[in-house]
Amino acid sequence: MLRKTLLPFFTLCVTTAIATCFDLSPAFPVPEWPHGAEDLASVFNSIEKQLKDLIADEKYDAASFSVEVTSSSESLWSQYHTARKRNETRPGAERVDGDSLYRIASITKVFTTLGLLYQHEAGNLDLQSPISKYIPELAVNGGEIPWHDITLRTLASQLSGLPRDFAQSDLMIGPPDPISIGLPPASRERMPDCDEDSNFDSACDGTDLIEWLKKAEPLFAPNQQSTYSNLNFELIGLALERASNKDFKTYMRDAILEPLNMTLSTLDTPPDDTHAVLPLGDNYWGIEEGVQNPTGGIYSSTNDMSKFLRYILTHYNAIAKGINWLMPASWGTGLQNFYGMPFEILRTDKILKESTRPITFATKGGGLPGYTTLISIVPEYGLGITVLVGCAECGKLLSAIQEIITVELIRGAEEVLWRAVDKTYTGFYTATNEKLNSSLKLAVSPSTGLMVNTFISNGTNVLGGFISKYLVDNSRPWHLQLVPTLLFKDESGQQGEIWRMIPVYEREEGLDRGVWDELCSTDVDILRYAGLPLNEVVFWQSNGIVELPAWKVRMSRDTVEEDALVVQD
Ligand SMILES: *[C@@H]1O[C@H](CO)[C@@H](O)[C@H](O)[C@H]1NC(C)=O
Ligand SMILES: *[C@@H]1O[C@H](CO)[C@@H](O)[C@H](O)[C@H]1NC(C)=O
Ligand SMILES: *[C@@H]1O[C@H](CO)[C@@H](O)[C@H](O)[C@H]1NC(C)=O
Ligand SMILES: *[C@@H]1O[C@H](CO)[C@@H](O)[C@H](O)[C@H]1NC(C)=O
């Protein structure tokens, strides 16, 4: 009786456990790029050539750029270009190089947020507390904005619903003359008397910002919808000053720039032009941003930014308890955009040619007159990219550079990675206990990742038996993929990489299975046997052993079979 009631329950459990999930990731352990630039030499050659062709266009005569790719341990590649046309009276740096300084503009928000995470972890600020706790003046005769519902986390995630700017981007300032574009005559009554609005005679301070905010109206209710706002980070900057008892510039220097050895990076205008990238025409070099410094004030170089990216690549999940810094906080517009804190995240399936596995870039871009900038962190590949462009009128030069670098880099990295995975993991494994007829055959391909092709346990075909009979919907194509958990087991001084085996459905071209076929509740912990996870796999690299704890078996790798290698040359 008991058995009768339990059986259907078990079947139901199992079939719902295998959700329709395609393209599992991460598909490989985070690569360390042990041979540095060598691993990717041909990729970088190709990028260099394309960048040279791009910048040769005369419309970029006045453009300088610095670009650098770093792994989590060292710089892998860089390229610099000095503008062919420069200001003759004040040309700036003689030659652009890795120490050349640009205004990195809104990338500064990443530094401000890092400061916030530090102060949260130190207990001086609380991400979950409203900003009005730290700047009580906001809520005194506070106007329309619901300050008590706007937490520090809400601000850092671009979810506050606050307006974008208060002292920049006002068309009253021109050019063009507002009347010439059809705007009516207007007074400056609602504009603060600082920054752009004072012709840069005086930077805005905290009082200017707070007074302006009291008259401002929200765009959205807090946490309703993300929208880009510089004010979010100006307020975090004020909170940081109060929590640290230092002015913002000093706090950034003491907490981040000096500890990370970002020797040339600064919030003050550099004392001379030795490293200055000074594009022809309008540029923001030398403009003091005051209360707007936390949103866009830093000057930095690709050398320094790579130090910063290496820090993020190695610490993003360990800076503050409970926070993985690269995770999204809200979706943006469209299917592929997300806001983090304060990262602008793109997930795209357009890069890989043989798979629809999404590639995730946590980016932050910036723009000020004369400068466009972008950092991209690709945690699954252990790579960080900095692109700094100095040019007053170069339109989409930065996007063109970013497109070339990221697409080439990720495609090239994939080739190198699958070759490495093939060398390290694939082949035929047989039980170390010779009396046991247990074996695994692992193969790799760029479209499926590392997968189990045969799985025999004690003379029983597991893949063709238990898994295909009970675990998957056999009417559609699937494979048993191995995905790394990025965790390790320690055993008498040895380290074992922990992976999981997961049945994954394959996309069938041209076959419409309906909208809901895309719903995937990721679940990599499917079943247990005698209290152990059924699908856990441990690779003991030092002796070529693979262990399946629930199956109580250790297998050693025999010769690599030729047909295990599916990677194309
Ligand atoms: C700090 O950076 C400078 C310039 O990049 C470098 O020469 C120096 O060795 C670095 N110091 C440390 C401790 O890494
Ligand atoms: C060149 O630099 C001088 C000195 O900073 C400045 O006054 C002038 O406007 C600049 N000219 C151009 C075309 O950028
Ligand atoms: C192998 O299977 C036999 C039955 O065919 C069983 O008696 C034995 O306990 C199994 N041994 C292991 C180690 O799984
Ligand atoms: C091991 O088991 C498989 C699956 O049942 C079987 O095909 C194979 O012949 C067995 N090998 C040996 C050496 O018994």
Side-chain angles (χ1 to χ4, degrees):
M1 192 61 207
L2 184 66
R3 206 169 159 72
K4 266 187 187 155
T5 53
L6 280 182
L7 252 179
F9 176 72
F10 170 79
T11 315
L12 183 75
C13 257
V14 174
T15 45
T16 52
I18 311 299
T20 330
C21 293
F22 308 107
D23 306 308
L24 288 193
S25 60
F28 38 73
V30 182
E32 283 169 19
W33 306 110
H35 310 108
E38 226 177 274
D39 288 327
L40 295 163
S42 66
V43 174
F44 291 134
N45 279 339
S46 162
I47 294 175
E48 271 171 34
K49 193 179 163 307
Q50 291 181 61
L51 291 185
K52 285 207 172 88
D53 290 347
L54 174 73
I55 201 70
D57 192 320
E58 65 181 22
K59 71 175 178 245
Y60 299 136
D61 277 352
S64 297
F65 69 71
S66 302
V67 296
E68 185 161 328
V69 174
T70 185
S71 73
S72 60
S73 60
E74 59 173 354
S75 171
L76 298 180
W77 169 83
S78 58
Q79 191 174 344
Y80 315 110
H81 174 80
T82 312
R84 292 180 290 270
K85 283 192 186 151
R86 290 189 290 162
N87 189 331
E88 280 166 19
T89 35
R90 198 177 167 199
E94 200 52 46
R95 276 192 77 73
V96 169
D97 60 22
D99 285 334
S100 296
L101 291 170
Y102 300 69
R103 294 217 81 161
I104 61 167
S106 288
I107 296 175
T108 305
K109 292 178 173 71
V110 182
F111 291 78
T112 303
T113 306
L114 180 58
L116 172 60
L117 294 178
Y118 283 160
Q119 288 298 308
H120 169 82
E121 189 62 10
N124 300 331
L125 291 175
D126 177 359
L127 281 168
Q128 293 302 96
S129 291
I131 181 70
S132 52
K133 176 173 170 188
Y134 307 105
I135 313 176
E137 310 96 283
L138 283 170
V140 178
N141 306 322
E144 302 285 320
I145 294 169
W147 292 111
H148 295 301
D149 295 329
I150 298 178
T151 66
L152 297 176
R153 185 193 283 270
T154 304
L155 291 171
S157 326
Q158 302 281 29
L159 273 167
S160 67
L162 289 182
R164 180 192 156 103
D165 281 308
F166 83 114
Q168 288 187 354
S169 318
D170 196 309
L171 286 171
M172 274 295 272
I173 306 300
D177 168 18
I179 309 299
S180 78
I181 56 169
L183 284 163
S187 86
R188 294 188 168 225
E189 200 181 320
R190 292 174 73 94
M191 296 167 62
D193 196 15
C194 52
D195 192 77
E196 278 186 6
D197 305 345
S198 71
N199 206 12
F200 303 111
D201 283 343
S202 65
C204 302
D205 62 18
T207 312
D208 294 318
L209 171 64
I210 292 165
E211 285 315 307
W212 187 88
L213 280 168
K214 290 186 173 184
K215 287 175 266 163
E217 287 173 6
L219 274 99
F220 302 111
N223 298 305
Q224 188 61 41
Q225 185 177 332
S226 45
T227 181
Y228 198 88
S229 169
N230 288 315
L231 303 189
N232 291 336
F233 297 87
E234 295 164 19
L235 290 172
I236 294 171
L238 289 177
L240 282 174
E241 290 188 330
R242 294 186 188 186
S244 67
N245 242 325
K246 291 177 178 175
D247 68 78
F248 182 75
K249 291 180 176 178
T250 309
Y251 179 67
M252 282 289 120
R253 192 196 62 207
D254 294 354
I256 301 175
L257 303 177
E258 278 187 359
L260 295 186
N261 194 29
M262 299 178 68
T263 47
L264 292 173
S265 301
T266 171
L267 276 146
D268 289 313
T269 304
D272 57 55
D273 287 355
T274 319
H275 298 296
V277 175
L278 296 177
L280 261 185
D282 263 354
N283 69 64
Y284 246 51
W285 189 271
I287 289 181
E288 166 56 48
E289 295 202 35
V291 74
Q292 297 172 94
N293 270 321
T295 207
I298 292 178
Y299 297 79
S300 191
S301 65
T302 44
N303 275 352
D304 274 2
M305 285 309 299
S306 284
K307 293 176 183 174
F308 188 63
L309 293 182
R310 289 195 281 272
Y311 175 75
I312 299 181
L313 281 166
T314 46
H315 291 76
Y316 64 89
N317 200 9
I319 296 165
K321 230 182 286 329
I323 291 168
N324 179 332
W325 196 15
L326 300 181
M327 285 288 178
S330 75
W331 57 83
T333 302
L335 293 176
Q336 302 178 315
N337 291 283
F338 306 86
Y339 268 120
M341 273 197 303
F343 293 106
E344 290 140 17
I345 299 166
L346 174 71
R347 261 164 94 71
T348 177
D349 62 2
K350 288 188 181 157
I351 291 189
L352 300 183
K353 288 177 178 160
E354 303 182 61
S355 156
T356 46
R357 176 164 49 84
I359 308 292
T360 309
F361 295 92
T363 79
K364 186 70 201 82
L368 275 175
Y371 303 95
T372 42
T373 59
L374 190 71
I375 51 170
S376 304
I377 300 154
V378 214
E380 286 174 53
Y381 292 78
L383 293 171
I385 303 151
T386 306
V387 182
L388 306 176
V389 172
C391 185
E393 281 172 21
C394 281
K396 300 204 174 301
L397 176 60
L398 177 122
S399 330
I401 294 175
Q402 174 79 353
E403 184 78 20
I404 292 170
I405 295 180
T406 54
V407 174
E408 288 273 332
L409 183 63
I410 298 302
R411 285 186 185 155
E414 279 271 316
E415 278 189 33
V416 176
L417 286 170
W418 288 126
R419 237 180 271 284
V421 169
D422 184 43
K423 207 168 152 201
T424 314
Y425 303 95
T426 67
F428 196 61
Y429 293 76
T430 50
T432 49
N433 169 0
E434 278 162 20
K435 287 186 205 130
L436 204 59
N437 177 5
S438 292
S439 63
L440 272 184
K441 188 174 162 193
L442 305 188
V444 67
S445 90
S447 59
T448 56
L450 183 61
M451 59 185 167
V452 179
N453 272 4
T454 62
F455 179 7
I456 309 290
S457 177
N458 193 13
T460 303
N461 180 348
V462 178
L463 202 63
F466 172 70
I467 295 178
S468 63
K469 278 202 188 103
Y470 296 105
L471 234 41
V472 294
D473 170 2
N474 240 325
S475 70
R476 56 195 304 174
W478 61 276
H479 61 268
L480 190 61
Q481 191 185 340
L482 279 159
V483 293
T485 64
L486 311 182
L487 291 178
F488 296 89
K489 273 189 190 185
D490 281 302
E491 204 177 272
S492 47
Q494 292 194 19
Q495 265 209 331
E497 284 175 16
I498 307 174
W499 293 56
R500 290 294 180 113
M501 298 185 281
I502 301 156
V504 182
Y505 293 111
E506 290 168 14
R507 291 182 189 278
E508 296 155 275
E509 224 159 290
L511 184 65
D512 183 9
R513 283 188 180 264
V515 170
W516 290 90
D517 201 41
E518 291 290 333
L519 181 69
C520 155
S521 349
T522 307
D523 177 3
V524 303
D525 194 20
I526 304 159
L527 286 167
R528 310 179 84 72
Y529 179 65
L532 293 175
L534 189 72
N535 64 345
E536 186 182 67
V537 176
V538 185
F539 286 100
W540 299 97
Q541 287 302 358
S542 52
N543 49 14
I545 297 276
V546 65
E547 180 185 359
L548 276 58
W551 305 80
K552 288 200 169 42
V553 66
R554 284 176 173 249
M555 306 183 210
S556 62
R557 191 178 177 199
D558 296 349
T559 48
V560 182
E561 293 189 7
E562 280 304 307
D563 63 352
L565 176 68
V566 191
V567 178
Q568 304 282 308
D569 264 296

